[in-house]
Amino acid sequence: MPNNHQFSPLPPWPRTDYCGNLRESDAGREVGLWGWVAARRDHGGLIFIDLRDREGIVQLVFNPERAAAAHRIADQARAEYYLAVRGAVVRRTPATINAELPTGAIEIVVAQAQILNPSWPMPLQLDESADEQLRLKYRYLDLRRPAMQRNLRTRHQAVRGAREFLDGQGFVEIETPILWRATPEGARDYLVPSRVNPGRFYALPQSPQLLKQILMVGGFDRYYQIARCFRDEDLRANRQPEFTQIDIEMTGPRIEDVMAIGQGMMASMFRRAAGIELELPFPRLEYEEAMERFGSDKPDLRFGIELRNFTSAFAGTQFRIFADVLARNESIYGIAMPPDLQLARRELDELAESLRSRYSMGLAWVRVAEPDWQGPIARHLSATERARVTETAALKGGETVLMVAGPAANVRPVLGEIRLNLAARFNLRKADERRFLWVTDFPLFEYSPEERRLVSVNHPFTAPHPEDLGLLDSDPLAMHALAYDLVLNGEELGGGSIRIHNRELQLRVFEKLGLTRESATEKFGFLLDALSYGAPPHGGIAFGVERITMLLCGADSIRDVMAFPKTQKAVDLMSGAPSEVGIEQLRELGIKVIT
RNA sequence: GGGGUCGUAGUUCAGCCCGGUUAGAACGCCGGCCUGUCACGUCGGAAGUCGUGGGUUCAAAUCCCAUCGGCCCCGCCA
């Protein structure tokens, strides 16, 4: 490979413009450009090079008769060589205009050129077809792709929109420690050994939750942070072990005040990053209604096919299976698929089989046909029951009604999942539609069969609804939380709550979660103490930057909105992290590897 | 922890079901020709531990087992 370029740390002439910004109005100007060779077309005489930088591509023309030295450089140039060129912006003749390119009406007639750095042959193609393993290994090359450039800049604009809005509302950006302490509850912690305190560990924060509460006690009144969070859990298409939240806390808000900030900020982000004006305020739905109608606490409102509660329709039924269910005081829910969205018999059988194997649940279905209903359970349904089902689901004829029976808490999410699968199957979700939604009034606690105790639905610092305070000892599972999630198209974008600011109440909630006063004081003493010195009422919310950016970019993977993501096994393929470390490093930390 | 899927020249892929030529194509790379292309064209060339290990077989990219890695999902993610 010819490589006669001279290494020089300094550029030979200044860059006056970015390639992608040049337009017809620049014709006649002398410009200096630096960029990568995106394509090279060698005609033996003339050579064309598409030069790419962060703003886009422009065509360079090298004419051996007009600039022989520059032409020799172009002759040597290959894909992804980094070039500096100097030349004139020239209007193309009408026949040679390229309407596909923003810069296609002009080209650069190069007078001088220099190879600032050659490139080894590319280990991957810079397009969507590249294998993701290679993209991650050679991330610095992948990042040159226009799509990645665009995504990360969209992210930048979104965060900028958030900062602008919050600054305008009097919020103060404050950084909190990355080296923090391990806390019980929640996700697995990433631990960092302390050299000066052998045997002790910091934890990386899962979120700055307690720190931001304490900042309210510290008098900052309105805080925000673009905060890196760490959770040592398995990865997914939209989950990485480290991710970024826009973390917000304020003194004395009602739920509505936090929502106003949250949706105002969201509007600012969409305006900045996508030029989209959101319609405010976002609608609200209580948790219970979301579960009842959509089988989900983050419903996708872009399509209907809502759940129906058929429990009372089958009161007194002779149909054995349903009668048994009702005898156990359980429920029967279903969804009615309209005539134009019909599953084949085989698909219904597959769905039934998948429910059986995954949830040990049966699927009953009937086709609402004339003259008679069809399907395995049709003959078990009395005329009264058919009439009630028809009324409950507002049937008009031709529907297929899918029914699942069991405890409502199990049945509704399963139907919610079926609802989503049907939407995917029939392509009911419009990609360009945005349905924001606040979900409120979550339960405060739920029962964890694995741990055989109550756990917080949100987190242990969430304030109970004031009307439910009396239930703390008698019926904690019936309590509601002053918590809220922001949902867009079935995705949770953020969530928050009004916090407990009273030491005694916080202790009583800890106790409900199985933490003794002693152990709560040991693990959360700093919080309890902070609450004991005139802590103001406070509350807040946090938003997932990557999830919002994914929606803004139409990205299917969180890795496409992060500069240096990790694989599903939490490995950075570029650097090889996590790596083994030397024995001396471990000894200094008092750590012995036992695996 | 579990289920699914993919892994073949530098790259993107075909071949694998149904075992049997020298494992093909395109892009890229190297060399030649070409003064208006824009994924330029054209002629020629080099380039492969078929992810790895084991097994079955006269014979394995192809069948079987194990293992490693990428991706998707369940569990997990207050």
Side-chain angles (χ1 to χ4, degrees), chain A residues 205-424:
Chain A
Q206 298 173 25
S207 84
Q209 178 59 39
L210 295 177
L211 291 156
K212 68 174 174 177
Q213 290 188 236
I214 289 169
L215 283 170
M216 293 305 101
V217 183
F220 280 95
D221 197 75
R222 291 190 155 201
Y223 141 96
Y224 83 98
Q225 181 178 196
I226 312 301
R228 195 67 68 84
C229 305
F230 306 86
R231 296 179 188 174
D232 186 5
E233 298 293 344
D234 287 350
L235 289 78
R236 285 286 188 285
N238 62 358
R239 265 167 33 192
Q240 284 270 311
E242 56 180 304
F243 60 99
T244 304
Q245 286 188 344
I246 303 171
D247 193 46
I248 298 172
E249 195 77 1
M250 54 206 286
T251 288
R254 298 166 300 154
I255 283 180
E256 288 72 18
D257 299 321
V258 181
M259 288 180 177
I261 294 296
Q263 62 200 10
M265 184 194 80
M266 201 60 61
S268 178
M269 295 174 79
F270 272 70
R271 189 178 304 125
R272 266 282 171 232
I276 293 169
E277 280 304 320
L278 298 182
E279 213 175 295
L280 301 184
F282 301 148
R284 293 171 60 160
L285 202 59
E286 289 182 13
Y287 169 88
E288 172 55 28
E289 188 179 347
M291 294 306 297
E292 181 75 6
R293 289 173 54 195
F294 303 100
S296 168
D297 62 358
K298 46 175 184 175
D300 190 337
L301 300 185
R302 286 175 296 174
F303 59 96
I305 53 174
E306 296 185 15
L307 314 199
R308 305 292 178 184
N309 188 341
F310 293 122
T311 309
S312 56
F314 290 101
T317 186
Q318 298 297 302
F319 181 29
R320 180 63 186 278
I321 295 169
F322 283 0
D324 289 350
V325 164
L326 296 180
R328 288 195 300 268
N329 218 4
E330 296 174 350
S331 307
I332 301 161
Y333 280 82
I335 50 187
M337 295 298 293
D340 53 326
L341 305 178
Q342 291 298 304
L343 292 174
R345 177 64 189 259
R346 186 177 50 80
E347 292 175 295
L348 288 165
D349 291 342
E350 282 168 8
L351 180 59
E353 176 50 36
S354 120
L355 289 195
R356 202 169 10 254
S357 64
R358 290 167 57 208
Y359 304 111
S360 310
M361 280 185 191
L363 175 76
W365 60 269
V366 281
R367 204 151 265 174
V368 184
E370 289 298 331
D372 202 10
W373 290 16
Q374 297 162 3
I377 66 158
R379 64 191 180 87
H380 299 289
L381 304 187
S382 71
T384 320
E385 287 158 8
R386 292 180 189 205
R388 288 190 197 142
V389 167
T390 301
E391 196 195 337
T392 305
L395 299 180
K396 296 183 176 66
E399 293 93 345
T400 300
V401 183
L402 313 177
M403 286 182 269
V404 182
N410 299 348
V411 164
R412 296 192 301 192
V414 167
L415 279 164
E417 189 187 316
I418 293 175
R419 177 176 175 268
L420 290 178
N421 289 339
L422 291 171

Side-chain angles (χ1 to χ4, degrees), chain A residues 1-60:
Chain A
M1 179 189 335
N3 184 3
N4 342 341
H5 87 286
Q6 299 277 311
F7 173 77
S8 163
L10 296 174
W13 49 77
R15 162 152 67 189
T16 64
D17 293 82
Y18 284 120
C19 301
N21 289 344
L22 295 170
R23 295 291 181 275
E24 214 171 345
S25 56
D26 294 300
R29 291 182 51 219
E30 291 286 326
V31 295
L33 303 174
W34 307 351
W36 288 279
V37 175
R40 175 174 166 276
R41 295 176 289 278
D42 183 351
H43 289 242
L46 282 184
I47 295 176
F48 299 94
I49 283 178
D50 291 341
L51 198 68
R52 184 193 62 241
D53 61 23
R54 52 175 268 185
E55 298 297 328
I57 280 176
V58 72
Q59 172 166 280
L60 312 177

